[in-house]
Amino acid sequence: MGKQYFGTDGIRGRVGQGPITPEFMLKLGWAVGKVFKSEGVSKVLIGKDTRISGYMFESVLEAGLSAAGVNVHLLGPMPTPGIAYLTRTFHGDAGIVISASHNPYFDNGIKFFSKEGKKLPDDVELAIERQLGEPLEVVSSDKLGKVKRVEDAAGRYIEFCKSTIERGLNFKGLKIVVDCANGATYAIAPKVLEELDAEVTVVGASPDGLNINLGCGSTDLSALKAAVVEQKADIGVAFDGDGDRVLMVDHTGEEVDGDELLYIMVKDRLQRNQLGGGLVGTLMSNFGLELAMQAMGVEFQRAKVGDRYVLEALQRQGWVLGGESSGHIVSLDLTSTGDGIVSALQVLAFMARTGKSLRELKIGMQKLPQVMINVAIGSDKSVIESPEVTQAVESVIERLSGKGRVLLRPSGTEPVIRVMVEGDEEQSVQAYAQELAVVVGGEHVS
């Protein structure tokens, strides 16, 4: 049976439109509580990012869980990977994240972690959806779940982040601009860097509930680039709204994306003999990353787009490092899920050890021109299987002459088809992508 509500990254959508409504979230909290309670669960942690609707959904999820007899610990604003970490260290039975990640403030969503700090398996998500179809029944008053707010959740996570680099290493002499996307890292990432002796300038750290991801963070690097150049900083670090992604800017103001960060991390781990196998990328990873891995003798595998598929591939291979060009990077030897702050610290530590700039560290990987166009298609995602689209794709592949790739992929979180073309010549790649986008049809969105 297919899932009605859960996508590749939990449940997400526009606030006020089904299923992102208070009524649904109340029932969801109860359904989650019922399913978890049947497995002996007694404690669930809830954290959120900084968007205004988080207050509303925190309250109703709390009520639903309590109605099912499950105790709730509230973490407040906290990066998604911090909630995964605290779920493990507080010996919680599950963790809930209220966040729409890199989306605008008017969206929100729910993500879940198991007691190991990992994504819920499909069978548990299906059990929750089945429970949603049952009438809500409240346990007797003496069995209602209790609710408490966790003190110093941020401090505990800050100490964990610092522990992921070797003792005695610091960032003294590094001038860093950090952009917190007015999101969940705003009170944490600057403190982590400052406590490691970096000179820190902060932007995007004044959340008002409406400005998360707005003209800042990893979805819009323009403010960070300007600040790095103006401050004559060594590096800029940008997180997304919930802190599971990171992108960087070098001292010249040039973007360094997730593929390049993965290359740098592989290079670092090879030097320290800590790679632990190969590297997992995705179908969207730049072909230049694959070529760089070949040159270093590192096995490279592509997973479907989405961090859960990267995680599955890592676990299947017994490897520890993987990620996406968006900056969602997973280091399973350090933590259980993608963590923007932890990933940033690994790159900064490499800089501190070697005394090299970010620009120098990425030498050795040459990205191929890659163009992606999002084509709005409503609910009909089968268009990519039509004869017209298939013929158009085959035509472009033939003209690329084996020196590029074509990928058409429905988004897991938005009603769009992502049209991606990659090749060795930027102008032709752009033309091919536009050509395919026209065939797929619909209004182009960025």
Side-chain angles (χ1 to χ4, degrees):
M1 185 180 75
K3 287 180 280 190
Q4 181 179 357
Y5 299 111
F6 283 89
T8 58
D9 199 21
I11 301 171
R12 188 182 302 181
R14 180 69 66 95
V15 173
Q17 299 178 9
I20 312 300
T21 64
E23 297 89 347
F24 179 85
M25 293 300 173
L26 175 66
K27 188 70 174 292
L28 177 64
W30 172 81
V32 167
K34 288 286 287 185
V35 170
F36 288 170
K37 191 73 174 176
S38 68
E39 299 178 356
V41 167
S42 61
K43 181 169 64 177
V44 172
L45 282 72
I46 300 179
K48 61 186 179 180
D49 64 22
T50 57
R51 64 194 74 221
I52 192 169
S53 58
Y55 295 97
M56 175 172 66
F57 293 132
E58 179 185 57
S59 297
V60 291
L61 283 167
E62 168 193 329
L65 286 160
S66 177
V70 173
N71 296 325
V72 179
H73 287 210
L74 301 176
L75 301 174
M78 176 67 55
T80 290
I83 296 162
Y85 167 72
L86 291 170
T87 299
R88 299 197 312 271
T89 59
F90 272 92
H91 300 283
D93 297 292
I96 297 178
V97 182
I98 306 169
S99 175
S101 190
H102 55 282
N103 288 28
Y105 79 93
F106 48 73
D107 289 339
N108 215 331
I110 307 294
K111 293 187 277 192
F112 297 92
F113 288 112
S114 68
K115 61 184 178 181
E116 294 87 14
K118 299 178 180 179
K119 298 293 179 72
L120 294 183
D122 289 337
D123 60 333
V124 176
E125 292 182 344
L126 286 168
I128 292 169
E129 292 206 353
R130 286 193 297 270
Q131 191 65 46
L132 282 166
E134 300 297 321
L136 192 156
E137 297 177 348
V138 181
V139 298
S140 62
S141 294
D142 62 318
K143 290 184 172 57
L144 288 170
K146 297 178 180 179
V147 181
K148 66 179 292 186
R149 195 163 290 277
V150 176
E151 299 296 330
D152 197 30
R156 292 169 182 257
Y157 179 55
I158 287 169
E159 290 305 310
F160 162 71
C161 290
K162 292 190 299 181
S163 76
T164 62
I165 63 172
E166 60 265 39
R167 185 181 295 274
L169 183 68
N170 63 52
F171 301 154
K172 191 170 184 178
L174 273 179
K175 191 172 184 179
I176 302 171
V177 181
V178 57
D179 185 343
C180 299
N182 292 314
T185 62
Y186 82 98
I188 293 176
K191 288 183 180 178
V192 171
L193 297 173
E194 288 165 357
E195 291 181 16
L196 289 168
D197 296 328
E199 181 183 344
V200 181
T201 299
V202 185
V203 297
S206 301
D208 62 10
L210 306 177
N211 60 1
I212 187 171
N213 300 314
L214 181 61
C216 58
S218 64
T219 56
D220 187 343
L221 295 175
S222 54
L224 180 63
K225 291 178 177 179
V228 166
V229 173
E230 180 183 344
Q231 297 285 331
K232 295 183 170 57
D234 298 300
I235 188 171
V237 180
F239 303 103
D240 68 337
D242 74 328
D244 61 2
R245 298 185 184 192
V246 62
L247 295 180
M248 292 188 175
V249 172
D250 69 21
H251 68 281
T252 71
E254 184 173 294
E255 176 182 348
V256 179
D257 70 7
D259 289 338
E260 292 167 309
L261 294 177
L262 282 167
Y263 166 73
I264 290 169
M265 293 171 74
V266 168
K267 190 193 300 190
D268 174 39
R269 283 166 172 264
L270 281 176
Q271 289 186 10
R272 294 184 292 128
N273 196 29
Q274 292 183 3
L275 181 56
L279 177 70
V280 172
T282 74
L283 295 173
M284 296 301 296
S285 297
N286 193 280
F287 192 56
L289 176 61
E290 186 172 343
L291 294 175
M293 293 302 102
Q294 290 177 9
M296 291 193 291
V298 174
E299 189 173 350
F300 179 75
Q301 289 196 2
R302 293 181 184 269
K304 291 193 293 184
V305 175
D307 64 299
R308 73 181 301 154
Y309 301 116
V310 172
L311 280 164
E312 287 173 2
L314 288 173
Q315 290 162 354
R316 188 166 56 248
Q317 292 295 326
W319 299 347
V320 298
L321 185 63
E324 304 181 86
S325 54
S326 63
H328 199 133
I329 295 172
V330 182
S331 301
L332 287 183
D333 54 340
L334 300 174
T335 188
S336 62
T337 190
D339 191 316
I341 296 176
V342 169
S343 297
L345 291 178
Q346 309 316 301
V347 176
L348 292 167
F350 193 20
M351 291 177 64
R353 279 189 225 101
T354 60
K356 293 183 178 180
S357 69
L358 185 64
R359 193 174 187 85
E360 290 173 311
L361 291 180
K362 71 177 185 179
I363 292 172
M365 175 183 163
Q366 184 65 45
K367 290 201 303 180
L368 270 65
Q370 184 185 84
V371 174
M372 185 171 71
I373 300 175
N374 292 332
V375 183
I377 43 79
S379 59
D380 183 17
K381 297 182 179 181
S382 64
V383 64
I384 60 175
E385 300 172 358
S386 70
E388 295 81 5
V389 171
T390 301
Q391 184 176 358
V393 168
E394 291 174 351
S395 173
V396 169
I397 290 174
E398 183 177 350
R399 281 175 281 166
L400 285 169
S401 304
K403 297 179 180 179
R405 298 188 304 133
V406 175
L407 179 67
L408 269 60
R409 181 180 68 86
S411 167
T413 58
E414 302 171 83
V416 300
I417 298 293
R418 305 199 193 284
V419 176
M420 189 277 287
V421 179
E422 194 173 49
D424 59 359
E425 203 282 309
E426 186 168 1
Q427 190 171 356
S428 60
V429 166
Q430 181 71 49
Y432 293 151
Q434 290 286 353
E435 177 183 324
L436 290 174
V438 169
V439 177
V440 171
E443 179 183 354
H444 296 179
V445 293
S446 59

